[in-house]
Amino acid sequence: MDYINAFWVGGLICALAQILLDRTKLMPGRVMVLLVCTGAVLGALHIYQPLQDYAGAGASVPLAGFGNLLWKGVKEAVDKEGFIGIFLGGFKASAVGISAALVFGYLASLICEPKMKK
């Protein structure tokens, strides 16, 4: 049942993002920022964590999950370090995921020989 819940919640998040791309004049970058900010706001309102507990990777992998992760990191760092935690918390919480994305993106570019579009 965990797989089904992850599938439908993650699919719903992605479908909502696709609807925004198809039905509005928002550019993809703005939709991505909207997803991250939505995840952070829902995390601050204590709404996203129960969704993440229910759906697992279906809620933590999309960009809204990244926003929630940033929020949790900032909140923990502010509690421990005070004001400077606003700047450090997000970096500490998301460093592993961002590093993995960079490393695997680089490896994929070595294998696939990317070319610039004309």
Side-chain angles (χ1 to χ4, degrees):
M1 197 65 187
D2 291 338
Y3 294 122
I4 294 171
N5 292 337
F7 179 78
W8 80 262
V9 171
L12 181 64
I13 293 170
C14 293
L16 292 173
Q18 190 64 47
I19 290 169
L20 283 175
L21 288 169
D22 291 344
R23 302 285 182 191
T24 67
K25 293 183 180 182
L26 292 173
M27 300 298 290
R30 291 184 185 214
V31 173
M32 290 172 29
V33 169
L34 182 65
L35 285 169
V36 172
C37 292
T38 301
V41 169
L42 291 176
L45 296 174
H46 303 286
I47 296 172
Y48 205 82
Q49 190 58 45
L51 179 66
Q52 196 169 352
D53 294 339
Y54 174 75
S60 65
V61 171
L63 282 173
F66 180 68
N68 184 46
L69 177 69
L70 290 175
W71 164 253
K72 287 194 304 188
V74 168
K75 185 176 181 317
E76 289 174 9
V78 167
D79 291 342
K80 288 181 184 176
E81 302 176 29
F83 181 75
I84 195 74
I86 293 172
F87 305 105
L88 298 176
F91 291 120
K92 287 181 181 179
S94 62
V96 173
I98 292 172
S99 298
L102 290 172
V103 168
F104 290 122
Y106 177 71
L107 292 175
S109 73
L110 291 176
I111 294 168
C112 297
E113 298 180 29
K115 297 179 180 102
M116 296 295 291
K117 289 185 178 182
K118 295 179 183 179

